Amino acid sequence: MVAVSKRQPLRAVQVAHDLGLRHFGESQIQEGVPKIKAAPKDIHWHFVGHLQKNKVRACVKHFQYIHSVDSVKLLQRINQIAGEERFRPEVFLQVNLAMDPDKHGMTAESVAVVLKEALGCPHLSCIGLMGIPPLDLGEGETLGFFKDLANLRSTLRSENPEWPGRLSMGMSRDFEWAIAAGANYVRIGTEIFGERLA
Ligand SMILES: *Cc1c(COP(=O)(O)O)cnc(C)c1O
C-alpha cells in the first residue's frame, strides 16, 4: 500500500510513519521534494503524478518508484538521467485503457512497444503497469477495467517472461475492486489521511 500524502502536511506523514507505514506517494515535484527532505529517511517514495520532462532529474533523485511513465520519450529521459545521477528507479508504464481524454497514459498497443524499450534500459527497472479507471464507471465496470489491465499484463508477460509485470491500480474509491483483480500496489490518499487541503 502506497500512502498518497499529496496536499497533506508533513505532520500527517510523520504520524503515518509512526504507525509503521513506509511507502508514501506524491504527485507533484514542487510539493513532494521539500516534504521528502523533511520526512524520516527510511521511507520509500513513489511518484504518482504526471511527470514533466524538466522535473525528471528532481524526480529521479528523490523518488525510488515512478508510477506514471506515459511515453517513450519520458522513459528514455528517465533512463538517461538515472544513469547520470547513478540511481535506478523502479517504473510502471501508465496505460490509458479506456482512452480517457482526461487521463495520461499509453494505448494498449503502444505499451507493448514501450515495454520492449524499457526492458532494454540499463538505468531503470520496469516493474509493471499502472492504470486509473474513468470516474464515471459503475462498480462492475470498474472491476472489468482492472481485469482488462490484469489481462494486458498477462499477455505482455507471456511475451516478456523476465518482466515482473506488477499492477499499480486502485485508489480510495476503488481499491477493493483493484485487489480483487490482482493489484500489487494500491495508491491510497483520502481513506488514510482524510480530505486534502485545497
Ligand atoms: C491522488 C492520487 C491517488 C490517491 O487518491 P485518493 O482518491 O485520495 O485515494 C492515487 N493515485 C494517483 C495517481 C493520484 O494522483
Side-chain angles (χ1 to χ4, degrees), residues 133-148 177:
L135 263 176
D136 56 4
L137 295 188
E139 290 189 348
E141 291 170 314
T142 301
L143 181 61
F145 176 96
F146 289 135
K147 284 183 173 169
D148 287 348
W177 303 110

Side-chain angles (χ1 to χ4, degrees), residues 106-123:
M106 300 177 267
T107 62
E109 294 76 47
S110 51
V111 78
V113 178
V114 179
L115 177 59
K116 294 272 181 219
E117 175 82 17
L119 293 173
C121 287
H123 305 298

Side-chain angles (χ1 to χ4, degrees), residues 80-101:
Q80 183 206 328
I81 289 178
E84 290 169 16
E85 301 287 349
R86 299 179 182 275
F87 288 101
R88 197 165 194 281
E90 312 218 52
V91 311
F92 295 84
L93 304 180
Q94 184 173 355
V95 190
N96 188 349
L97 263 192
M99 291 313 295
D100 181 343

